[in-house]
């Protein structure tokens, strides 16, 4: 048995949750205690405390982390988050989940994550830039195209990545576009990265539909969270697969129309007014109601912890595709499985984003850029293959897709550790 017994760790700690998940799958596939312990331990962690000159001339010390969870399958990959609630345990958990996500879609990466404890809304652009550059400089000994490749996450964006790329390149003395992904296209970003998460989600929905007994063409879809991931998924399901988008929502509330909404018109309305709410001809609904709307497919694309023990028995959809990270609580998972609602878990359903990040890195390091068609064709092939593999494990083991995805991922990482052997 492992000495990292999950039961002694507080349940609210995300890293404790991440380790419990490893234990559950390790029991299922009979992993040896040694490999289990390797999988439950972050390989490398760096915490940095560094000063930044503020606009008023004062200095402020910030704390940042970078955790490289496991690199048995390749360089590590994962976003950088700016948030006042960042903790080392949260970064560890997110880095573990990135490890599994990369393994589910079988791209040659391990998982990492980084973060700075900061409320970025309280900084000027100049302060943000100086903080980002200093953090990039502090973690530069452990990042790089062959070691660890950061990307945007909560409250970081393409501009943040441009600053990190420039800082790292200044230290090297030459441009290193492959050190980060999610860059502006003019600096080596990839075509199609912006819509990759929603597009990948739409592909796995299409693949799962026949197994669930629903038709996407003419079928109905509800999308919670009409942001990057959700609005793109809605547009692709509507435009390319002929689905009727009957309900969408954002922080201000939701809208419903039984005959279907045009997601492009809804987007234009949101751009004009700041919300989907008030879209002409649609009925106003709450975010809670959106989750329970009568639709074939539900796409949670907003926040974590949306489908809970309280509302899981009211979900009307037959297929739930998690564009968001962590929208379904474990107790809800159980209820959905018993009710035969199929869930496409986040590590699969939103892995289109990291997949095209991998394509961005691959293009950067070979200095040869692909067309949008090429990117989308390759993305489709990764998503279709990954869905098929997860589905096969779920069928063979009689488990739900989330467990199946974890089985596939943890098995792949464990195999890589075993094959490489323990050094020395
Ligand atoms: P975003 O900020 O572009 O969009 C989020 C949307 O959710 C916004 O429309 C917001 O109004 C809405 N929202 C927020 N709180 C809500 C609530 N309580 N109820 C309903 N709507 C609410 O963010 P995004 O990039 O689309 O990310 C959404 C989710 O997808 C997150 O969980 C993120 O981790 C996940 N994700 C995104 C990517 C990506 O490439 N963008 C990749 C992987 C996972």
């Amino acid at each position: 048995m492992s000495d990292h017994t999950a039961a002694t760790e507080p349940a609210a700690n995300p890293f404790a949750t991440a380790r419990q998940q490893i234990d559950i799958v390790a029991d299922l596939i009979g992993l040896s205690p040694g490999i289990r312990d390797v999988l439950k331990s972050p390989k490398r962690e760096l915490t940095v405390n560094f000063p930044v000159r503020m606009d008023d001339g004062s200095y402020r010390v910030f704390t940042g982390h970078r955790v490289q969870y496991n690199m048995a399958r390749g360089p590590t990959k994962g976003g950088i988050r700016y948030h006042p609630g960042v903790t080392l345990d949260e970064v560890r958990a997110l880095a573990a989940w990135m490890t599994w996500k990369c393994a589910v879609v079988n791209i040659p990466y391990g998982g990492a994550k980084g973060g700075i404890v900061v409320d970025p809304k309280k900084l000027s652009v100049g302060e943000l830039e100086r903080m980002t550059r200093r953090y990039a400089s502090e973690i530069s000994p452990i990042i790089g195209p062959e070691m660890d490749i950061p990307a945007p996450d909560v409250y970081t964006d393409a501009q943040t990545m441009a600053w990190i790329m420039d800082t790292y390149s200044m230290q090297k003395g030459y441009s290193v576009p492959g050190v980060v992904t999610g860059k502006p296209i003019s600096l080596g970003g990839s075509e199609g990265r912006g819509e990759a998460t929603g597009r990948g989600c739409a592909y796995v929905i299409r693949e799962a539909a026949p197994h669930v007994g629903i038709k996407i063409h003419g079928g109905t879809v509800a999308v919670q969270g009409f942001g990057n991931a959700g609005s793109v998924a809605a547009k692709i399901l509507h435009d390319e697969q002929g689905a009727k988008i009957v309900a969408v929502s954002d922080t201000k509330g939701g809208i419903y129309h039984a005959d279907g909404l045009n997601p492009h018109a809804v987007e234009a309305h949101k751009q004009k007014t700041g919300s989907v709410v008030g879209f002409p001809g649609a009925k106003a609904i709450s975010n809670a109601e959106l989750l329970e709307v009568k639709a074939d497919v539900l796409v949670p694309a907003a926040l974590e912890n949306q489908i809970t023990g309280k509302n899981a028995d009211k979900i009307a959809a037959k297929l739930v595709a998690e564009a968001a990270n962590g929208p379904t609580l474990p107790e809800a998972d159980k209820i959905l499985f018993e009710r035969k609602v199929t869930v496409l878990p986040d590590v699969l359903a939103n892995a289109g984003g990291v997949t095209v990040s991998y394509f961005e890195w691959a293009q950067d390091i070979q200095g040869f850029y692909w067309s949008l068609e090429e990117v989308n064709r390759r993305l489709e092939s990764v998503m279709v293959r990954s869905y098929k593999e997860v589905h096969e494990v779920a069928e063979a083991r009689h488990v739900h897709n989330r467990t199946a995805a974890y089985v596939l991922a943890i098995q792949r990482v464990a195999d890589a550790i075993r094959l490489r052997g323990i050094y020395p």
Side-chain angles (χ1 to χ4, degrees), residues 81 101 153-154 193-194 196-198 224-231 249-253 270 287 300-304 306 323-327 350-351 353-354:
R81 172 173 293 200
K101 190 178 292 185
D153 191 64
V154 176
R193 174 61 188 91
T197 302
Q224 185 199 41
F226 202 67
N228 179 323
S231 70
S249 71
D250 59 31
T251 40
K252 307 231 170 74
K270 186 175 164 100
N287 260 302
L303 297 175
E304 58 279 8
Q306 295 301 299
N325 279 314
N350 69 33
V354 75

Side-chain angles (χ1 to χ4, degrees), residues 45-67:
E45 306 179 337
L46 178 61
T47 293
V48 289
N49 300 300
F50 56 93
V52 174
R53 194 172 4 88
M54 308 306 280
D55 289 344
D56 65 3
S58 66
Y59 300 153
R60 193 172 142 195
V61 174
F62 291 89
T63 299
H65 309 285
R66 184 74 186 168
V67 173

Side-chain angles (χ1 to χ4, degrees), residues 11-79:
N13 181 327
F15 188 44
T17 307
R19 289 167 101 171
Q20 282 170 3
Q21 291 166 336
I22 299 167
D23 270 331
I24 292 168
V25 173
D27 287 342
L28 206 65
I29 61 181
L31 270 191
S32 74
I35 299 275
R36 182 190 297 234
D37 269 358
V38 177
L39 291 175
K40 287 171 73 178
S41 314
K43 175 188 171 67
R44 185 179 289 147
E45 306 179 337
L46 178 61
T47 293
V48 289
N49 300 300
F50 56 93
V52 174
R53 194 172 4 88
M54 308 306 280
D55 289 344
D56 65 3
S58 66
Y59 300 153
R60 193 172 142 195
V61 174
F62 291 89
T63 299
H65 309 285
R66 184 74 186 168
V67 173
Q68 297 167 349
Y69 195 81
N70 185 293
M71 46 179 70
R73 301 181 69 256
T76 50
K77 185 92 193 81

Side-chain angles (χ1 to χ4, degrees), residues 162-370:
W163 288 331
I164 296 177
M165 182 273 216
D166 184 68
T167 303
Y168 188 84
S169 300
M170 286 301 115
Q171 292 188 346
K172 292 283 172 195
Y174 51 87
S175 282
V176 190
V179 66
V180 285
T181 61
K183 296 178 293 296
I185 290 192
S186 56
L187 294 181
S190 179
E191 295 287 348
R193 174 61 188 91
E195 63 165 28
T197 302
R199 177 168 286 280
C201 185
Y203 288 145
V204 287
I205 290 171
R206 184 192 70 196
E207 293 306 297
H211 296 134
V212 178
I214 55 176
K215 274 211 166 70
I216 299 301
H217 192 89
T220 50
V221 179
V223 181
Q224 185 199 41
F226 202 67
N228 179 323
S231 70
V232 171
K235 284 187 278 186
I236 289 167
L237 288 164
H238 174 270
D239 298 354
E240 298 180 14
Q241 299 182 32
K244 267 202 281 189
I245 310 300
V246 291
V248 301
S249 71
D250 59 31
T251 40
K252 307 231 170 74
I255 53 171
Y256 174 83
H257 200 303
D259 297 336
L261 301 153
N262 179 329
H264 299 277
V266 174
E267 187 171 51
H269 176 80
K270 186 175 164 100
Q271 261 161 13
K272 214 164 68 190
T273 66
S275 171
V276 300
V277 173
F279 183 71
K283 183 182 150 203
I285 56 170
S286 69
N287 260 302
E289 286 168 329
L290 182 133
L291 295 171
E292 298 163 18
V293 151
K294 198 168 168 304
D296 298 314
V297 183
L298 171 64
V299 182
L303 297 175
E304 58 279 8
N305 307 343
Q306 295 301 299
I307 306 178
T308 66
K310 290 209 177 88
N311 63 6
D313 58 348
K314 301 198 196 89
I315 303 294
K318 293 194 192 70
L319 181 63
V320 175
E322 296 180 339
N325 279 314
T328 311
L329 288 176
E331 63 261 32
D333 251 343
K334 247 169 111 180
I335 299 170
L336 294 175
F337 187 59
E338 279 157 15
R339 291 185 53 221
K340 300 198 178 350
V341 176
T342 301
V343 176
L344 296 172
D346 48 10
V347 285
L348 171 68
N350 69 33
V354 75
T355 301
V356 175
S357 278
Y358 160 55
F359 295 163
E360 178 177 334
W361 170 84
Q363 293 169 78
D364 288 338
I365 56 180
Q366 63 181 339
F368 177 66
Y369 291 88
W370 307 341

